[in-house]
Amino acid sequence: MNKNYEYLSDEHANYIKNLIKKVADKDPNYEIFGSKVHQYELNETVSLEWVRAFEKKYQVKLPQEYVFFITKIGNGGVGPYYGIDPLSLDEDYVRHYNHLSKPSIYNEDYLQFYNEHITLFENKKRYEEQEDDEEAFHKKQEQIYNRLENGTLNINNQGCTYDGLLVVDGRRAGEMVYIDWELDVGYPPVLVNMTFLEWYQGFFEAILAGYDIRGYGWHMLGDEKELMAKYTNADLETKNKIISSFVKFSYIDKETIQFKETIQFISNFDGVNDACRLKLLFDFDYKQGLQVFDTFLEGDSEKIKAAIETCMNIWRSEDKDKYYDKLLRFIYGDYGNFEDRLKETALIFIGSTKCLSAGDLFEFVKNKEHSEHIRRVAMYVIGEAEDVEDFIDVLIDILNNIDSEIVLLETLFTLRGIKSEKIVQAYQTLIPKYQNSANPMIIKQMECYLKYME
């Protein structure tokens, strides 16, 4: 479509409306995520006088692009994910807007704040189990929510607990932020690094270009040639984001020079997000991806790390089985000492192979040098093995001698579908031992099994 328009002009508004119409015509059955909710409809616009009344009421200056949108295009309606929420002057909505005039944390090091405070939520159960602390917990929880929402306008629901916030305060005013209100340690808010209109308009342009829009907003705008051109002089953080953004290209014509240039770019393993490059190579040239994967497994620790991070991109069952022994060697430490995150990925891969044998993982579970978490994952994988019933005696030995209640409980889950008098006898012996355990699920699982076997 012709982009020959003046920024924030009537022609610009018409361009965006035409984008919406073209996408609606392309998706008559509302197959794009969220479209069944907004159905490509825009709400009525509001006047500039209405906007000024809103700003005065809540002591806020709304970003210019957003004002353009609600006065020239629509006060909410169709948009990324479930669409754009409308503004309202109704008194029932006051509580949604009272924080707008407060300073936004996204002008500061919000990640430092997040990491320092969010561990509170990881300990939520411990706090709530202590009656004296429950009120203090909820007060602290509310303070954290407020700090993350101050100076932003929540305009976009993305499903579940994910929202899109428009920053209205400070140097990032007019930019979008994604946040998961579950506030998990590993999932802090994300600066989209797009202004409101870049984000809004780019969504429809991406659909019309045939890009994969799952996770829209996490990837940089532009086609493959534009992204490759930006790469050369970019800083390390931007380079990594450029590489990651290639996942949106769900199809590239293999017969064109453009595809060859892209493969050459993706195959440039220069240490910048090698794992992402390898994942992309698996998508665009699976055979070459396997060749690089083999090379990485024989490389230095960083290459091995990239290989393990991408192992789940190996999807042919015969290829998975070919790497079974190598991934076993990895979890047992033959390639070096790697973090649990990578061991867990390797274990899940091992569990997805046809040649999985429970017997290959018992020594790993018994080894106290491994963390409780990763040993529990290994026991989970053991439970997926078709030959697990051949190892009842080994599993009972683990029950009797394991040093970790976490691993013990996973072992009980592994055994619950197996009928055996040996297990009955083991549980009858173990129940008195765990009567005072802090984890009531241990006794409960054994008692449920005994009842099941009656």
Side-chain angles (χ1 to χ4, degrees), residues 327-333 340 343-344 347 350 358-379 382 398 402 407:
L327 272 290
L328 276 176
R329 287 171 51 202
F330 174 82
I331 66 164
Y332 276 104
D340 282 358
K343 292 177 185 176
E344 183 171 354
L347 281 165
I350 289 168
D360 290 332
L361 294 174
F362 287 122
E363 291 305 313
F364 184 90
V365 170
K366 293 177 183 179
N367 189 340
K368 298 178 183 179
E369 292 184 5
H370 301 304
S371 71
E372 286 183 308
H373 168 73
I374 202 64
R375 291 158 69 198
R376 185 198 68 79
V377 174
M379 181 54 71
I382 287 172
I398 288 175
I402 198 68
V407 180

Side-chain angles (χ1 to χ4, degrees), residues 7-8 43 46 48 50-52 54-55 60-77 84-88 97 100 153-156 165-168 173-176 195-200:
Y7 174 63
L8 302 187
N43 297 334
V46 294
L48 193 56
W50 188 99
V51 172
R52 298 307 173 223
F54 181 94
E55 292 177 328
V60 63
K61 181 70 174 176
L62 294 173
Q64 184 182 23
E65 288 188 351
Y66 180 69
V67 172
F68 167 78
F69 175 77
I70 63 177
T71 58
K72 296 285 188 179
I73 299 172
N75 182 19
I84 307 299
D85 294 334
L87 281 189
S88 176
Y97 306 134
L100 293 178
L153 182 63
N154 193 331
I155 60 169
N156 175 239
L165 311 179
L166 174 65
V167 181
V168 297
E175 295 186 26
M176 294 295 297
T195 66
F196 172 77
L197 279 186
E198 286 175 337
W199 171 78
Y200 186 86

Side-chain angles (χ1 to χ4, degrees), residues 172-185:
R172 291 195 177 275
E175 295 186 26
M176 294 295 297
V177 173
Y178 285 177
I179 190 168
D180 177 7
W181 293 113
E182 285 288 337
L183 303 185
D184 289 331
V185 169

Side-chain angles (χ1 to χ4, degrees), residues 131-145:
E131 189 174 341
D132 293 341
D133 290 334
E134 186 172 351
E135 185 177 348
F137 169 80
H138 288 296
K139 184 176 180 180
K140 184 66 175 177
Q141 185 182 46
E142 185 177 1
Q143 290 173 349
I144 294 172
Y145 277 125

Side-chain angles (χ1 to χ4, degrees), residues 384-448:
E384 299 294 298
E386 292 185 3
D387 64 350
V388 66
E389 293 189 33
D390 297 338
F391 297 94
I392 291 176
D393 290 339
V394 180
L395 288 162
I396 290 174
D397 179 66
I398 288 175
L399 288 176
N400 288 323
N401 297 290
I402 198 68
D403 61 309
S404 163
E405 290 192 355
I406 294 173
V407 180
L408 169 69
L409 185 58
E410 191 64 48
T411 309
L412 297 177
F413 288 140
T414 296
L415 288 169
R416 62 185 173 183
I418 303 173
K419 289 187 176 182
S420 170
E421 284 300 320
K422 289 183 178 180
I423 299 174
V424 170
Q425 294 170 14
Y427 286 1
Q428 289 171 339
T429 302
L430 286 169
I431 284 176
K433 179 180 177 181
Y434 289 97
Q435 285 292 350
N436 297 321
S437 170
N439 191 338
M441 286 297 296
I442 293 175
I443 295 294
K444 184 176 181 180
Q445 284 296 315
M446 289 192 278
E447 289 178 342
C448 286

Side-chain angles (χ1 to χ4, degrees), residues 198-209:
E198 286 175 337
W199 171 78
Y200 186 86
Q201 179 174 314
F203 174 73
F204 300 103
E205 291 172 341
I207 294 172
L208 294 176

